[in-house]
């Protein structure tokens, strides 16, 4: 992959992924600059979540070169387990459905990765976790279990858990789609703050107004390709592709 003078936290070239006969990603290429927020929008089945999971190698791509942080992999070639492990450690993933350990407290959920995976001292991991809980407004919930929290609170714990790994990029898979409408705002507010603080974010979302407000870059995906990309004023405010126009009109002007 050709290096660029800009400090990119993510660079993807020609990423492909199929599930059986269904080719979900068809040669996707894009870059994410350090300290910026990129949102991925598009219709259901367009490949948004698969692209995000491919960046984290949760779904290992069939082909393409991806660099995340200081780790680069050519997925068309066999990948050693230790190389894949180092690559995955570059990103933190916030799942759509929280994915918290139900038998662990909020504090234990956040410190699990740093202590078990990264082998950091427990006291250091707990201090970082408490600071993150303060940041997401849940310091008082440290000893509670996931079932004692609202959906929005669980998602904020999920965000703190991803940040605790000190990743080079944080990946969000539709972080509000499983929430009741009244809880959406509290999660989007936390993500908005992270963008302001300079975290590098890639967010799959159906919240178009949020994407417009928080994004430095918007990718519109359709049928496994990036059909349109650029700043939100262009992609959302003045889309050039007919498919993008149709999608946004349906979302922003429902019957």
């Amino acid at each position: 992959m050709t290096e660029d003078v800009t400090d990119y936290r993510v660079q993807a070239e020609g990423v492909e992924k199929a599930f059986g006969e269904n080719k979900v990603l068809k040669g996707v290429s894009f870059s994410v600059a350090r300290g910026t927020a990129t949102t991925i929008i598009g219709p259901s089945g367009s490949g948004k979540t698969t692209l995000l999971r491919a960046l984290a190698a949760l779904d290992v791509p069939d082909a393409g070169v991806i660099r995340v942080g200081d780790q680069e992999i050519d997925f068309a070639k066999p990948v050693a387990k230790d190389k894949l492990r180092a690559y995955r450690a570059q990103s933190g993933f916030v799942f759509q459905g929280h994915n918290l350990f139900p038998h662990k407290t909020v504090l234990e959920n956040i410190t699990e990765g740093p202590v078990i995976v990264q082998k950091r001292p427990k006291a250091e991991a707990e201090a970082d976790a408490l600071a993150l809980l303060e940041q997401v407004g849940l310091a008082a919930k440290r000893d509670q279990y996931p079932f004692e929290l609202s959906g929005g609170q669980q998602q904020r714990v999920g965000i703190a858990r991803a940040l605790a790994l000190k990743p080079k990029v944080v990946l969000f898979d539709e972080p509000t789609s499983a929430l009741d409408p009244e809880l959406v705002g509290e999660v989007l507010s936390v993500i908005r703050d992270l963008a302001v603080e300079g975290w590098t974010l890639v967010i799959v979302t159906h919240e178009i107004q949020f994407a417009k407000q928080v994004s430095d870059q918007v990718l519109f995906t359709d049928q496994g390709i990036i059909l349109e990309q650029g700043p939100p004023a262009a992609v959302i405010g003045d889309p050039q592709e007919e498919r993008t126009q149709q999608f946004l009109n349906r979302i922003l002007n429902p019957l």
Side-chain angles (χ1 to χ4, degrees):
M1 182 178 290
T2 303
E3 288 298 319
D4 194 290
V5 290
T6 307
D7 183 4
Y8 286 111
R9 282 297 170 88
V10 177
Q11 286 185 285
E13 290 183 6
V15 180
E16 299 182 4
K17 180 64 181 177
F19 296 98
E21 297 298 313
N22 182 23
K23 196 166 186 180
V24 181
L25 300 178
K26 305 171 184 176
V28 174
S29 302
F30 70 102
S31 299
V32 176
R34 176 185 171 202
T36 64
T38 293
T39 53
I40 306 175
I41 63 173
S44 297
S46 64
K48 303 185 301 295
T49 289
T50 300
L51 176 55
L52 198 73
R53 291 178 64 86
L55 295 180
L58 295 177
D59 290 332
V60 177
D62 301 320
V65 180
I66 309 178
R67 180 166 65 83
V68 178
D70 58 9
Q71 295 293 318
E72 179 176 303
I73 293 182
D74 182 347
F75 286 100
K77 302 174 182 177
V79 184
K81 287 185 178 179
D82 60 340
K83 176 70 173 176
L84 194 59
R85 192 178 303 115
Y87 172 88
R88 285 172 171 157
Q90 301 295 300
S91 59
F93 203 97
V94 180
F95 295 89
Q96 193 174 128
H98 322 312
N99 280 26
L100 301 178
F101 296 113
H103 59 290
K104 292 183 180 292
T105 66
V106 165
L107 186 62
E108 290 168 341
N109 264 280
I110 297 171
T111 58
E112 174 89 0
V115 172
I116 303 301
V117 178
Q118 297 180 332
K119 309 300 182 186
R120 287 165 53 196
K122 185 177 180 181
E124 176 190 313
E126 288 189 348
D128 286 349
L130 291 173
L132 288 168
L133 283 173
E134 188 75 42
Q135 184 176 347
V136 300
L138 293 175
K141 306 292 186 180
R142 54 172 288 177
D143 295 320
Q144 293 192 300
Y145 289 87
F147 75 88
E148 299 177 286
L149 307 177
S150 70
Q153 290 170 337
Q154 289 183 48
Q155 193 62 296
R156 283 188 279 157
V157 173
I159 293 171
R161 181 179 59 180
L163 298 179
L165 297 170
K166 301 184 177 180
K168 299 294 176 59
V169 59
V170 188
L171 309 173
F172 295 82
D173 182 18
E174 301 210 26
T176 61
S177 66
L179 301 179
D180 292 334
E182 68 268 21
L183 302 177
V184 167
E186 66 186 66
V187 173
L188 295 183
S189 177
V190 169
I191 299 172
R192 203 174 278 114
D193 289 345
L194 297 179
V196 171
E197 290 167 16
W199 286 85
T200 306
L201 312 176
V202 181
I203 310 158
V204 170
T205 184
H206 60 277
E207 301 283 350
I208 301 301
Q209 291 299 337
F210 168 73
K212 191 173 183 179
Q213 294 166 10
V214 80
S215 305
D216 297 286
Q217 173 180 228
V218 177
L219 311 179
F220 174 75
T221 61
D222 189 42
Q223 298 183 8
I225 64 171
I226 296 174
L227 196 60
E228 198 160 353
Q229 64 186 96
V235 177
I236 297 175
D238 187 26
Q240 301 302 300
E241 297 288 338
E242 183 179 357
R243 186 70 186 91
T244 316
Q245 295 168 4
Q246 291 171 346
F247 171 78
L248 290 170
N249 186 58
R250 191 172 68 248
I251 296 296
L252 298 175
N253 302 294
L255 294 177

